[in-house]
Amino acid sequence: MIRPLPPNGTPPETTDRRDATPRLPALFLGLIAFALTLFLLVAAKFILISLTTAIIVFSLTSEAINAIARLRIGPAHIPMRLASLVALLLIAAGLFTLSALLLSQANEVVTMALTYTEPASRAIAELFRWMGPDIENAVLSSLRSTELPGYLRAVAGQAGSLLSGTILVILFVGFLFAERVWFFTKLVNLLGDAERAERTGTIIESIMRRVNHYLLVKTGVSATTGVAVYAIFTVAGFDLALPVAILTFVLNFIPSLGSIVATCLAALVVYVQTGDARSMLAVLAGVGVVQFIIGNIIDPMLMGRALRLSSFGIIISLAFWGAVWGLPGMFLAVPIMVAVMIVCSHIPGLRPLAVLLSREGLPETEAQTVAALNRR
């Protein structure tokens, strides 16, 4: 039976089942991919943290190797392989020395913390004495029930894995040095276009430049802060000056939160040693002034416009990578965020994300990146 046409002569609307197909499967696939990526990040975090650290170390030293290879002694010059080998040996020596120093200081801090566990609990509880004896006793009971010695021994056990991580980082850096000669050739063959390979190389070089600048400035600023804290403890005659200074140096690599934790930790160490609230407040004020001047005046002045990241984005990055990789993730959060912002700024579809991650909403364009690299 043939249905009659409507009065306007147009055929009745038909429903295309393909057009009505819901897009929920695509959303589910995206969620599954995100969950799988998150699972792999957590499951392989030791290898991924070591690999990320090795890439950063390689980035920091690659320019130095190029400079050494360009040196000429009369008609002769230093071969690239020899320069890479010497750099790898220096990196291995430096990483092993740093690991040994951190392990020795961590063991000293854990030993002292175990000794001061009970006095520290009483000293902290006394800070709440003004609220009444019931509150003071409740705080003391809560601190005693936390089993702090067990946590400290667990932290010391995790610090022991630092040596194996150092060995893995050195191996990764060695293979990166070996492969750096053929990197651009592989990039051209992978992308199938020399122009696209050149653009990708520009993005990678921009990431390396920005991360290197950030790490060099942060190292200098953190070292200056650690020296200032060491001087304060030494002049005042407090114990644990070197461990507190080293912890301050390390914690200052964590943006925003690290300086706050380091300042409170220094004040708490003084209060546990002396039991004097005035000494604690004096150290808190002194270290706080040092952190404020260096972190809010000197650091931004040296950093300039090389690292224009959103403060809120930094906090989100710290929370995410801290949850995924723990404390090492918080140290690597800013370099990873720099890389993500630069990559997104060069991809038109992802540029809105780069705008959100940048401080002023003005991430570098490709032309600005090329101009900045040419000025070097």
Side-chain angles (χ1 to χ4, degrees), residues 184-339:
F184 187 75
T185 303
K186 291 183 178 181
L187 202 59
V188 172
N189 293 331
L190 179 64
L191 299 177
D193 185 359
E195 184 177 354
R196 291 177 61 190
E198 187 70 27
R199 290 183 59 190
T200 304
T202 301
I203 295 174
I204 295 174
E205 191 171 355
S206 177
I207 294 172
M208 294 172 63
R209 173 179 61 87
R210 299 274 290 275
V211 171
N212 289 351
H213 182 81
Y214 165 76
L215 290 176
L216 290 176
V217 171
K218 205 67 178 176
T219 300
V221 168
S222 299
T224 304
T225 308
V227 170
V229 172
Y230 180 82
I232 291 173
F233 269 64
T234 303
V235 171
F238 299 128
D239 295 331
L240 298 177
L242 184 58
V244 173
I246 292 177
L247 285 175
T248 301
F249 168 77
V250 174
L251 289 173
N252 269 283
F253 279 90
I254 301 177
S256 304
L257 301 178
S259 58
I260 298 174
V261 174
T263 303
C264 295
L265 181 63
L268 181 60
V269 168
V270 171
Y271 185 67
V272 170
Q273 290 181 27
T274 63
D276 185 8
R278 288 178 298 180
S279 299
M280 180 193 70
L281 293 177
V283 171
L284 183 65
V287 176
V289 169
V290 170
Q291 292 278 14
F292 179 82
I293 293 175
I294 295 179
N296 293 277
I297 299 176
I298 299 178
D299 191 2
M301 182 177 63
L302 295 176
M303 202 70 71
R305 297 176 63 84
L307 192 72
R308 300 177 298 180
L309 296 176
S310 166
S311 299
F312 181 72
I314 290 176
I315 296 298
I316 295 298
S317 181
L318 285 174
F320 176 78
W321 290 108
V324 173
W325 285 351
L327 189 60
M330 301 182 74
F331 287 101
L332 299 173
V334 172
I336 293 175
M337 187 177 173
V338 171

Side-chain angles (χ1 to χ4, degrees), residues 48-108:
L48 293 177
I49 290 171
S50 302
L51 179 60
T52 305
T53 305
I55 292 174
I56 292 175
V57 173
F58 169 77
S59 173
L60 286 170
T61 54
S62 59
E63 288 299 323
I65 293 174
N66 292 334
I68 293 173
R70 287 193 295 266
L71 293 177
R72 289 187 174 274
I73 305 174
H77 69 280
I78 301 176
M80 181 67 73
R81 293 187 180 276
L82 179 59
S84 300
L85 180 60
V86 172
L88 182 60
L89 294 176
L90 293 176
I91 290 171
L95 289 179
F96 278 124
T97 302
L98 181 61
S99 300
L101 179 63
L102 291 177
L103 285 175
S104 63
Q105 294 303 316
N107 290 331
E108 183 177 351

Side-chain angles (χ1 to χ4, degrees), residues 134-158:
D134 294 337
I135 301 297
E136 181 183 357
N137 293 330
V139 172
L140 182 59
S141 300
S142 177
L143 292 174
R144 286 175 173 174
S145 63
T146 55
E147 297 182 359
L148 184 60
Y151 289 120
L152 292 175
R153 292 188 181 94
V155 171
Q158 292 180 359

